[in-house]
Amino acid sequence: MALALTLIGVAQANSAPPSIQFYSEHFPPFTIDDHGDIHGEAVDLVRKMMLLLNHPDTIKVKPWARAYKRALRDPNSAIFLIARTPERENNFKWVGPLMQDRISLCQHKNDQNQYDDINQLALDSKIALPRGYPEQAVLTEMGFNQLRLTNNPTSAINMLLKQRVSLISCSPKALWDLLMQNATPTDEIQVTGIDLYHVDLYIAFHHQTSDATIKQWQQALEQVKASSEYIELND
């Protein structure tokens, strides 16, 4: 109630934004698709923004590559959560950041090596990661030439569990949830001491979205982030 009272001016001061089709991928704890029940930390945040703007709940969960393609191609569409990289900058219009994350390398529990520095890795190390994620460009730029690209984080996890690769990229925050959903003991995969990058995560809107619409969504986000509800979401 406090959030609605504080932010009622967002909807009143501006005409309602056009209806946007929002896409996300199944990536707990940020977005969770539990047999059609869509929830999670990022979903909760976007829904609070929708409520403030009197926008219908249009969130759909798709595989990352498909969601990204639709947000890139279809007017009045958007994708979250997405890293704002130089390669993507001009392809979208941006609202955020919604939250932060870090991406690390993870190893199988049976791997006795201690990884603390990426420079200790051979460039032909087999590393699995989701296709199109920013770490693909990061590792390619570093010269790693045996990357195994998957359709989603769970597929990368399964490759490591079968020890078909030495390492995977992962969000430590998401790893526990992904292992639980995969019915895998949570100690099977461990986070190494190698962080690839820290990242701010955004909503990316189709590039033809008007600046006025982007401003409305950004204002809604800033108001949500100033509220006690946002603090609870990020505890």
Side-chain angles (χ1 to χ4, degrees), residues 10-28:
V10 172
Q12 289 180 339
N14 303 284
S15 59
S19 180
I20 304 292
Q21 177 62 64
F22 284 82
Y23 296 102
S24 190
E25 69 166 335
H26 176 73
F27 191 48

Side-chain angles (χ1 to χ4, degrees), residues 12 36 53 64 79 82 85 91 97 140 182 212 216 220-221 234:
Q12 289 180 339
L53 294 172
W64 175 257
I79 184 172
I82 182 170
T85 65
N91 292 330
T140 299
N182 205 38
Q216 287 179 299
L221 173 61
N234 288 274

Side-chain angles (χ1 to χ4, degrees), residues 20 26 40 48 75 86 99 124 126 140 146 173 221 223 226:
I20 304 292
H26 176 73
K48 287 182 181 297
M99 51 190 64
D124 60 356
K126 294 180 180 178
T140 299
Q146 293 295 318
K173 186 174 183 179
L221 173 61
Q223 296 288 353

Side-chain angles (χ1 to χ4, degrees), residues 130-198:
R131 181 180 290 102
Y133 277 28
E135 51 263 41
Q136 180 180 348
V138 170
L139 291 169
T140 299
E141 181 70 20
M142 290 180 177
F144 288 93
N145 53 40
Q146 293 295 318
L147 303 182
R148 301 295 191 260
L149 303 181
T150 67
N151 290 329
N152 52 60
T154 299
S155 295
I157 285 172
N158 288 332
M159 290 186 74
L160 184 59
L161 292 173
K162 295 174 183 177
Q163 299 187 55
R164 293 167 55 191
V165 295
S166 300
L167 298 159
I168 62 171
S169 68
C170 72
S171 159
K173 186 174 183 179
L175 179 61
W176 187 89
D177 292 272
L178 288 168
L179 291 172
M180 289 289 291
Q181 285 214 332
N182 205 38
T184 300
T186 55
D187 64 346
E188 285 291 307
I189 296 178
Q190 300 169 352
V191 180
T192 73
I194 300 175
D195 288 344
L196 295 178
Y197 58 88
H198 291 72

